[in-house]
Amino acid sequence: VQLQASGGGLVQAGGSLRLSCAASGNIVSIDNMGWYRQAPGKQRELVAHNTRAGSTNYADSVKGRFTISRDNAKNTVYLQMNSLKPEDTAIYYCNAPGVVTGDFSVSNYWGQGTQVTVSS
């Protein structure tokens, strides 16, 4: 199973970016999919996650600005980021902690990370 993230880049404060993360491989089902971020010198933190049923959870720092969504048929999760601030600068990682594969094992997978840089 691989998680391929894309969509990062450089944007001015107040701008928007949309991240995508597609899971591929011998996948039976995925429950939660989400996004974490890690800024230089800081610990990785949860940004948002989304259950297969559509329940969502956001970090307080991004509520009202970021929106997580997913396409279950494509095993893809998205993160729409609006009103970006310099403090949103970080490497963003997608995560799928409950991937059921063809052998019916359940594993946790991470994407490779995509850099988001917000200039002031």
Side-chain angles (χ1 to χ4, degrees), residues 68-83:
I68 189 170
S69 61
R70 62 190 281 180
D71 184 332
N72 290 328
K74 296 181 179 180
N75 289 326
T76 299
V77 64
Y78 306 95
L79 186 68
Q80 178 67 43
M81 304 185 294
N82 299 328
S83 301

Side-chain angles (χ1 to χ4, degrees), residues 38-96:
Q38 187 166 19
K42 294 188 177 182
Q43 289 188 330
R44 191 173 297 189
E45 62 175 1
L46 174 69
V47 177
H49 75 78
N50 186 326
T51 69
R52 186 175 183 86
S55 297
T56 58
N57 185 45
Y58 296 92
D60 288 343
S61 59
V62 307
K63 283 181 180 177
R65 300 188 297 122
F66 291 10
T67 302
I68 189 170
S69 61
R70 62 190 281 180
D71 184 332
N72 290 328
K74 296 181 179 180
N75 289 326
T76 299
V77 64
Y78 306 95
L79 186 68
Q80 178 67 43
M81 304 185 294
N82 299 328
S83 301
L84 282 160
K85 304 176 181 180
E87 51 263 43
D88 294 318
T89 295
I91 299 174
Y92 284 68
Y93 298 90
C94 59
N95 173 239

Side-chain angles (χ1 to χ4, degrees), residues 4-9 18-22 35 77 79 92 94 112-114:
Q4 183 67 44
S6 62
R18 187 187 193 219
L19 306 183
S20 299
C21 176
W35 292 93
V77 64
L79 186 68
Y92 284 68
C94 59
Q112 83 283 10
T114 184

Side-chain angles (χ1 to χ4, degrees), residues 1 26-31 96-109:
V1 175
N26 189 14
I27 297 169
V28 173
S29 67
I30 304 176
D31 188 6
V99 179
V100 180
T101 52
D103 61 357
F104 294 99
S105 62
V106 181
S107 300
N108 182 21
Y109 293 93

